Amino acid sequence: MTDNQETQDAAAEDTTPSGSATLPLRQPCERLSCHKSSVCSRSYFVVVMVFFHVYIINVIALLFYVHYNSGQEDANRSRDAPSSGHQRPESRRPPSKDELQRDISLPRIEGIRVGHVQKVSLVSGRLHEMRTLSLKPLLFEIPGFLSEDECRVVMQLAQLKGLMESQLMVQDGQEELARELNLSPEEIFNLLDINQDGQLQLHEILTHSRVRDGIWLTPENLREIYAGLKADKDGNGLLSLEEFRLLSNDAFQRFLLQRGVKRSQLVRNSRHTWLYQGKGAHQVLQDIKERVIRLTRLPPTLVDLSEPLQVVRYEEGGHYHAHHDSGPVYPETACTHTRLAANASTPFETSCRYITVLFYLNSVDGGGETAFPVADNRTYDEVSLIHNDVDLLDTRRNCDKSNLRVKPTKGTAVFWYNYLSDGRGWVGEQDEYALHGGCMVTHGTKWVANKWINIDPDYQRQTRYQQLVLQQPEEEEDDDEDLTMNTGIQSPSIHQDL
Ligand code: OGA
Ligand code: CA
Ligand code: FE2
């Protein structure tokens, strides 16, 4: 009904000439087919005409607005190209001095749609196919990125160097941190009580314990601990503040350590090592780095100054529960790689890995897929990741419930963006959909390598860091050239032990 009314109104407006001042006075009455009465008076006509004029002025203003804004977006797009189809809307505010000074744009590959295949030139004389696996996160797969020989060399070099446990059994320093913060049981209870209902649900405790001590608890484990510690007096599976108060600060951890923790109960059960890829490194490692530069289209300096190649080996039964490779961006957070350039000491440090390139060095006999539990979900809700005792982050149990799984195939590379764009050509917020993990290997072993590309979401800090490590005086060269032009410059001092 409303639609009908709108159509009629539109039809009426369509027939209204824009030079309405020349209209014969009686026309509105005729069109509305009303009788000559008080309604068809001159004043009624004036009111209708005023309405039309205001309407037309509004339409013109709207057209101007749309024209002006799309003009601006086009300008941004040509500056940012190629950019992602998956950016958050920009907030329209006047650019700050910092923003005016920078005019570098980080390229982002277009995903187009899931299943879209694009040809990419990574080595001379051959094109690779790159398939879009998801848009949230922006995730691609490139079969044959590494040759069989390259895979073999990387595994051999890693073995030569020696691999170490990816996660130690007991995480040190957590108790001290808790003591330093000096929080009361009420304060801790409040922090844990995410939904603020005055009770601690199982998932509220589980989420916390993983961050705290790296031991992966299942809902059953937690019930067992409650029983062992007689923590849940009324047995309803929830902890009230009174029940919580009776527990000592490290009661959980002490209980677990007494009972013994197996490697399979850790967040990550694998071994790894790091391989330096700069000048003097094995040619295969340098070639891989060059290919990554061509794949991501990022300024070579950014890739040169990133972490070395991490090579990971999972034995049968190995896994890596779902996690983010990068941390969230808060004003008080500093990136590990740019801490040299931080102005003041920052209380929190996190990895800032703009892109993850993951290489499969062998094909796995059973299991070992890389799972993306919430890829292309319509919404993201952290709380519902653990629901009704099904924990989507648990890659030993629930990989089959992940939205997306990539089967490890020798030589294939997958890569994704851990951050969104800020809409102005730089790194924006963490992409929560980039959550991923390594499913349990059920047969054989699994070898992968990670190439992380570190970029600080704080543009000024990234620039300062580059100036520091490249040992260039601040005034000597333009900021933009630091990021885009220094293709041949290698970091002189970092990663030399690798
Ligand atoms: C990692 C990781 C996934 C996998 O090493 O950070 O997420 O499939 N690996 O091994
Ligand atoms: Ca609660
Ligand atoms: Fe990861």
Side-chain angles (χ1 to χ4, degrees):
M1 209 176 97
T2 340
D3 282 355
N4 279 346
Q5 274 169 5
E6 273 168 16
T7 334
Q8 280 164 15
D9 288 352
E13 285 151 25
D14 279 345
T15 51
T16 312
S18 50
S20 43
T22 58
L23 271 179
L25 269 181
R26 285 173 59 204
Q27 199 185 353
C29 291
E30 283 164 10
R31 283 197 323 167
L32 297 169
S33 67
C34 58
H35 300 293
K36 280 204 167 188
S37 66
S38 57
V39 171
C40 292
S41 67
R42 190 181 174 85
S43 60
Y44 175 76
F45 176 67
V46 169
V47 168
V48 169
M49 290 315 294
V50 165
F51 170 79
F52 279 139
H53 276 88
V54 169
Y55 181 83
I56 285 163
I57 287 166
N58 270 330
V59 168
I60 291 170
L62 188 71
L63 286 174
F64 266 116
Y65 177 80
V66 168
H67 175 76
Y68 174 73
N69 276 301
S70 63
Q72 253 194 356
E73 248 150 38
D74 284 349
N76 283 347
R77 211 169 298 136
S78 57
R79 201 162 57 80
D80 290 6
S83 62
S84 108
H86 151 235
Q87 293 178 352
R88 290 197 175 162
E90 296 170 37
S91 54
R92 308 235 165 261
R93 55 175 176 79
S96 69
K97 188 168 154 278
D98 284 354
E99 288 157 18
L100 287 173
Q101 275 176 357
R102 73 161 123 121
D103 55 6
I104 172 159
S105 272
L106 298 173
R108 259 173 103 88
I109 313 284
E110 294 264 15
I112 314 289
R113 65 179 176 282
V114 173
H116 176 77
V117 177
Q118 44 193 308
K119 296 253 194 297
V120 284
S121 166
L122 303 172
V123 286
S124 55
R126 154 158 197 214
L127 288 178
H128 283 80
E129 288 195 339
M130 176 165 79
R131 179 185 298 273
T132 306
L133 296 186
S134 72
L135 297 176
K136 291 194 303 182
L138 193 51
L139 167 68
F140 302 92
E141 180 184 52
I142 309 105
F145 188 98
L146 300 179
S147 68
E148 290 214 5
D149 278 350
E150 287 171 330
C151 291
R152 184 180 42 78
V153 168
V154 174
M155 290 188 285
Q156 281 173 345
L157 289 172
Q159 257 163 336
L160 211 61
K161 180 138 192 238
L163 295 97
M164 60 200 166
E165 292 292 351
S166 300
Q167 192 186 332
L168 301 174
M169 291 296 278
V170 187
Q171 308 260 301
D172 296 326
Q174 297 289 343
E175 259 86 73
E176 279 125 77
L177 186 68
R179 262 197 297 277
E180 262 172 47
L181 287 171
N182 204 14
L183 297 173
S184 68
E186 286 78 10
E187 284 168 319
I188 299 175
F189 187 92
N190 253 315
L191 283 173
L192 297 181
D193 184 12
I194 301 167
N195 65 355
Q196 292 287 300
D197 66 348
Q199 309 259 25
L200 293 184
Q201 279 78 8
L202 289 178
H203 68 82
E204 289 172 333
I205 301 255
L206 290 177
T207 313
H208 170 72
S209 76
R210 282 155 198 179
V211 180
R212 212 185 89 122
D213 43 34
I215 297 172
W216 193 265
L217 297 178
T218 63
E220 293 88 83
N221 291 153
L222 199 54
R223 289 203 186 89
E224 188 195 327
I225 296 173
Y226 284 178
L229 294 173
K230 301 194 175 46
D232 179 20
K233 292 263 157 45
D234 52 15
N236 66 352
L238 308 169
L239 289 190
S240 65
L241 177 58
E242 286 64 46
E243 288 168 333
F244 184 75
R245 232 192 292 242
L246 294 175
L247 289 170
S248 69
N249 218 353
D250 53 356
F252 278 31
Q253 197 166 22
R254 271 197 283 145
F255 179 87
L256 284 169
L257 292 179
Q258 264 172 21
R259 203 192 52 169
V261 181
K262 295 189 218 103
R263 297 218 61 81
S264 59
Q265 289 175 305
L266 297 178
V267 171
R268 184 178 190 189
N269 180 15
S270 63
R271 296 171 70 84
H272 74 256
T273 192
W274 299 91
L275 298 176
Y276 169 71
Q277 293 184 281
K279 258 190 197 144
H282 194 291
Q283 194 54 45
V284 164
L285 296 172
Q286 295 197 48
D287 291 349
I288 293 173
K289 190 185 69 181
E290 287 309 315
R291 224 171 288 159
V292 166
I293 293 171
R294 293 182 73 153
L295 173 71
T296 58
R297 302 173 202 165
L298 287 172
T301 313
L302 281 173
V303 182
D304 281 337
L305 294 183
S306 289
E307 288 165 84
L309 188 72
Q310 187 191 57
V311 184
V312 189
R313 178 187 157 106
Y314 299 87
E315 302 299 332
E316 201 162 289
H319 72 274
Y320 192 173
H321 289 305
H323 61 278
H324 286 282
D325 285 350
S326 304
V329 185
Y330 301 120
E332 63 275 16
T333 314
C335 297
T336 311
H337 78 285
T338 54
R339 65 182 177 276
L340 271 175
N343 274 336
S345 72
T346 37
F348 303 108
E349 225 178 75
T350 186
S351 310
C352 300
R353 292 158 167 169
Y354 182 53
I355 289 181
T356 300
V357 189
L358 177 73
F359 310 96
Y360 298 107
L361 302 175
N362 74 336
S363 300
V364 180
D365 294 339
E369 302 90 340
T370 306
F372 293 82
V374 293
D376 280 334
N377 244 25
R378 273 158 55 93
T379 54
Y380 175 84
D381 174 9
E382 194 181 353
V383 176
S384 61
L385 287 172
I386 311 177
H387 192 62
N388 291 342
D389 281 8
V390 176
D391 182 354
L392 281 180
L393 303 177
D394 190 326
T395 55
R396 295 184 74 82
R397 292 181 167 191
N398 295 323
C399 265
D400 58 332
K401 296 178 192 71
S402 269
N403 284 357
L404 182 74
R405 278 179 308 281
V406 184
K407 195 173 143 53
T409 307
K410 190 193 268 185
T412 294
V414 285
F415 89 98
W416 66 90
Y417 293 82
N418 294 302
Y419 291 91
L420 301 168
S421 162
D422 70 347
R424 287 172 282 128
W426 196 249
V427 181
E429 306 245 312
Q430 186 192 33
D431 189 348
E432 288 161 326
Y433 294 89
L435 189 69
H436 65 281
C439 304
M440 188 170 75
V441 176
T442 52
H443 288 106
T445 53
K446 169 184 168 188
W447 283 89
V448 295
N450 285 302
K451 181 66 188 169
W452 284 301
I453 298 169
N454 307 106
I455 308 183
D456 196 321
D458 181 331
Y459 174 84
Q460 299 299 333
R461 212 162 49 197
Q462 177 71 30
T463 311
R464 269 203 309 279
Y465 160 69
Q466 292 190 197
Q467 279 162 347
L468 269 172
V469 293
L470 299 172
Q471 289 167 354
Q472 286 176 339
E474 217 151 287
E475 273 81 39
E476 201 174 89
E477 268 189 75
D478 195 354
D479 284 352
D480 307 333
E481 286 187 1
D482 284 348
L483 290 164
T484 53
M485 310 292 280
N486 293 332
T487 53
I489 298 179
Q490 301 282 326
S491 159
S493 56
I494 55 165
H495 309 323
Q496 248 166 23
D497 56 326
L498 294 158

